[in-house]
């Protein structure tokens, strides 16, 4: 054993405790940094020589401590769980938002919605039934019916605008995903170089994990470990990031609301064109484009068709003030007769009659050439408001179904948000910085540093006695 070996042991202790203090200071400095994972200096004892010599055996008890390794504290299981839950929360958020916007498009209940406009039309017909010869009531029927048609147009247009905005957002999302994928690949390359050369890369890994979590929320991405600290980003089985290389994605398919079908539009790889079953925000948006919005648009079109079918049939069974059989009140805007009901939608529904005298309020033709005073057919039209299978009931069922679906979506999102928050809390408990714990570590390293310094002082005093005071007997 060397006389000076204790100094080396104490020196490694000073360096190790200083290293621990530096790491603690880094943790404290980043206590509020988003995505930062706390770090820990790994202290490893350095043993003595374990290889015996031929005629001598080492009596060393150790050579101090090593603190070269700084570990980034993460839980891989919780990270993977967080990516899954984050994607599901993002998907549910889009669904909840989509249904909320659809509810805004219908504006129910309220005075400006279709239900109120339908009630107004039927009420106006009831007034005509009471006073069939007065032009005021007939004019009110035309005005309120025109308002109803305009409301159907507006609601249909709002749904189309919502679809178009959602479709446009997918292109922006794809561009953002590709940019983040490239950033992850660049960080992978930097981390690989740092790992191979022994340089620290913990902060680079933190930045990369933040981007991965954002990709998980955007498209449902997950990661698998790679070589030299790298990760591979996987979406629906396709590797968007593999080490330092990337695979881009793009949106393909229609940009016309009426042409949307399951799988159109869709995300595909670029190059390759492989369709991806994406999750997260992208998955929720695709569901909105191919299912949710088209479903309610189709139901609204069905309401318009039923309105035209029922009113045209009832109106055609009566007679106007001139004794002429009632003509169809609604068509698809083409103006051709007979009216093709199959081509009618909420967007193209048109009120054909503009002359109040042509409203077929009478159930029987007038006699003697005078104006008809019969309001029997107007009574029939007014009674459609209470028909068990009439258009008013159909529309109410649509709104009720929308309300229930929106309520369920909101409830599911609230539950999912709680689950995600719990997972994030678990992640934070592992990788987050705890000030109380860091303060305790700081005191621990501080006292250990002081003790190592005191050890050097003791060895120095011992050497002073050995060098300066021995061999002085008799002088």
């Amino acid at each position: 054993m060397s006389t000076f070996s204790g100094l080396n042991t104490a020196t490694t202790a000073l360096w190790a405790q200083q290293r621990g203090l530096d790491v603690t200071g880094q943790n404290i400095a980043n206590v509020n940094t988003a995505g930062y994972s706390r770090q820990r200096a790994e202290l490893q004892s350095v043993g003595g020589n374990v290889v015996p010599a031929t005629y001598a055996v080492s009596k060393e008890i150790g050579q101090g401590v090593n603190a070269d390794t700084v570990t980034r504290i993460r839980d891989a299981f919780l990270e993977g769980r967080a990516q899954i839950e984050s994607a599901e929360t993002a998907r549910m958020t889009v669904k909840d938002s989509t249904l909320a916007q659809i509810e805004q498009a219908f504006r129910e209940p309220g005075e400006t919605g279709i239900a109120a406009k339908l009630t107004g039309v039927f009420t106006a017909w009831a007034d005509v039934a009471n006073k069939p010869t007065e032009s005021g009531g007939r004019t009110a029927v035309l005005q309120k019916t025109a308002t109803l048609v305009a409301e159907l147009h507006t609601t249909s247009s709002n749904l189309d605008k919502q679809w178009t905005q959602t479709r446009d957002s997918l292109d922006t999302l794809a561009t953002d995903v590709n940019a983040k994928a490239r950033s992850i690949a660049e960080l992978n390359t930097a981390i690989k170089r740092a790992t191979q050369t022994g340089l620290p890369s913990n902060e680079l890994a933190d930045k990369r994990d933040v981007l991965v979590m954002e990709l998980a929320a955007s498209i449902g991405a997950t990661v698998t470990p790679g070589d030299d600290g790298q990760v591979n980003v996987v979406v629906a089985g396709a590797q968007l990031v593999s080490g330092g290389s990337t695979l881009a994605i793009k949106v393909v398919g229609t940009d016309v609301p009426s042409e949307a079908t399951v799988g159109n539009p869709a995300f595909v790889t670029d190059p390759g064109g492989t369709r991806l079953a994406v999750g997260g925000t992208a998955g929720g948006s695709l569901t909105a484009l191919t299912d949710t919005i088209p479903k309610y648009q189709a139901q609204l079109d069905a309401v318009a068709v039923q309105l035209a079918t029922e009113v045209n049939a009832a109106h055609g069974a009566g007679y106007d003030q001139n004794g002429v059989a009632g003509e169809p009140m609604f068509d698809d805007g083409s103006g051709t007769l007979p009216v093709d009901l199959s081509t009618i939608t909420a967007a193209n529904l048109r009120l054909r009659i503009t002359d109040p005298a042509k409203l077929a309020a009478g159930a029987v033709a007038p006699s003697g050439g005078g104006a008809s005073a019969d309001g029997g057919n107007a009574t029939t039209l007014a009674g459609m408001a209470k028909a068990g299978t009439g258009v008013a009931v159909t529309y109410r069922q649509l709104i009720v179904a929308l309300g229930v679906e929106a309520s369920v979506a909101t409830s599911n999102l609230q539950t999912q948000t709680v689950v995600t928050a719990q997972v994030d809390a678990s992640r934070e408990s592992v990788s987050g910085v705890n000030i109380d714990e860091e303060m305790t570590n700081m005191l621990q390293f501080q006292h250990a540093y002081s003790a190592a310094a005191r050890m050097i002082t003791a060895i120095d005093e011992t050497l002073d006695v050995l060098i300066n005071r021995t061999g002085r007997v008799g002088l």
Side-chain angles (χ1 to χ4, degrees):
M1 294 178 63
S2 170
T3 304
F4 297 93
S5 61
L7 285 175
N8 178 70
T9 301
T11 300
T12 62
L14 285 175
W15 184 87
Q17 307 315 316
Q18 180 62 53
R19 181 78 160 176
L21 282 172
D22 291 341
V23 172
T24 300
Q26 176 74 349
N27 289 340
I28 294 174
N30 289 278
V31 63
N32 294 317
T33 301
Y36 177 81
S37 302
R38 68 186 178 95
Q39 302 178 26
R40 180 176 63 203
E42 299 291 349
L43 305 184
Q44 298 289 334
S45 61
V46 180
N49 184 12
V50 296
V51 180
T54 303
Y55 299 104
V57 177
S58 174
K59 301 298 184 181
E60 292 183 0
I61 60 174
Q63 299 181 26
V65 61
N66 187 319
D68 287 339
T69 303
V70 178
T71 302
R72 177 170 164 262
I73 308 301
R74 305 283 283 187
D75 188 314
F77 172 78
L78 288 177
E79 290 299 316
R81 176 73 186 282
Q83 292 162 10
I84 295 173
E85 299 301 340
S86 177
E88 185 64 10
T89 300
R91 184 191 67 80
M92 289 186 174
T93 299
V94 173
K95 182 176 181 179
D96 182 66
S97 175
T98 298
L99 290 169
Q101 292 181 54
I102 293 175
E103 287 185 313
Q104 293 175 3
F106 281 97
R107 298 189 299 282
E108 301 289 358
E111 296 299 323
T112 61
I114 294 173
K117 300 298 190 295
L118 276 170
T119 300
V121 170
F122 296 136
T123 300
W125 275 114
D127 293 338
V128 173
N130 294 328
K131 300 177 181 179
T133 59
E134 293 187 4
S135 62
R138 291 172 175 269
T139 301
V141 167
L142 292 180
Q143 291 176 344
K144 292 184 179 297
T145 304
T147 303
L148 171 61
V149 171
E151 183 60 30
L152 286 166
H153 291 174
T154 299
T155 303
S156 179
S157 176
N158 288 339
L159 291 176
D160 283 346
K161 289 178 181 178
Q162 181 182 350
W163 193 97
T164 301
Q165 290 172 355
T166 305
R167 175 65 176 81
D168 292 342
S169 70
L170 290 185
D171 292 322
T172 302
L173 187 146
T175 301
D176 182 62
V177 166
N178 291 335
K180 289 177 179 177
R182 289 192 296 269
S183 296
I184 291 174
E186 292 171 358
L187 288 169
N188 267 344
T189 301
I191 290 171
K192 179 179 179 180
R193 292 172 180 170
T195 301
Q196 292 175 341
T197 56
L199 296 175
S201 62
N202 290 339
E203 284 72 20
L204 294 177
D206 284 340
K207 293 179 181 178
R208 183 188 61 193
D209 285 353
V210 170
L211 293 174
V212 168
M213 194 62 67
E214 291 176 357
L215 283 187
S218 296
I219 55 174
T222 57
V223 299
T224 58
D227 298 330
D228 297 318
Q230 300 180 100
V231 296
N232 303 318
V233 180
V234 181
V235 177
Q239 284 194 350
L240 259 61
V241 179
S242 179
S245 61
T246 62
L247 178 65
I249 65 172
K250 65 179 180 180
V251 185
V252 297
T254 183
D255 55 2
V256 179
S258 60
E259 297 177 357
T261 58
V262 176
N264 182 21
F267 280 91
V268 299
T269 59
D270 182 27
T274 303
R275 288 181 176 267
L276 300 176
V278 295
T281 300
S285 297
L286 287 179
T287 300
L289 293 174
T290 61
D291 178 51
T292 308
I293 299 176
K295 176 178 67 177
Y296 285 103
Q297 183 69 274
Q299 292 183 30
L300 182 63
D301 290 341
V303 168
V305 171
Q306 185 175 358
L307 174 66
T309 302
E310 293 178 354
V311 172
N312 283 358
H315 194 261
Y319 300 90
D320 63 17
Q321 283 188 314
N322 299 318
V324 178
E327 61 183 69
M329 287 193 67
F330 300 105
D331 66 7
D332 60 0
S334 63
T336 59
L337 291 175
V339 174
D340 185 359
L341 296 174
S342 64
T343 61
I344 290 178
T345 65
N348 66 19
L349 183 68
R350 186 190 68 158
L351 176 62
R352 299 182 72 253
I353 298 176
T354 58
D355 184 359
K358 289 186 177 182
L359 291 178
V364 295
S367 59
S372 175
D374 177 40
N377 201 44
T379 301
T380 300
L381 285 161
M384 290 171 56
K386 299 179 180 179
T389 58
V391 64
V393 173
T394 300
Y395 181 73
R396 283 197 295 270
Q397 291 174 344
L398 186 163
I399 296 302
V400 169
L402 172 60
V404 170
E405 186 176 4
S407 178
V408 170
T410 300
S411 178
N412 290 342
L413 176 59
Q414 291 173 345
T415 301
Q416 179 62 31
T417 300
V418 172
V419 173
T420 304
Q422 291 175 344
V423 174
D424 288 341
S426 298
R427 289 174 58 230
E428 186 67 18
S429 67
V430 173
S431 60
V433 177
N434 185 302
I435 288 294
D436 293 336
E437 180 180 352
E438 298 303 327
M439 291 292 289
T440 301
N441 291 339
M442 183 173 64
L443 291 174
Q444 177 181 336
F445 291 128
Q446 179 185 6
H447 288 301
Y449 187 93
S450 298
R454 185 69 185 87
M455 180 180 176
I456 291 178
T457 301
I459 295 174
D460 178 63
E461 291 177 355
T462 301
L463 292 176
D464 180 67
V465 171
L466 178 64
I467 295 173
N468 297 317
R469 299 185 186 181
T470 55
R472 296 168 61 89
V473 177
L475 295 179

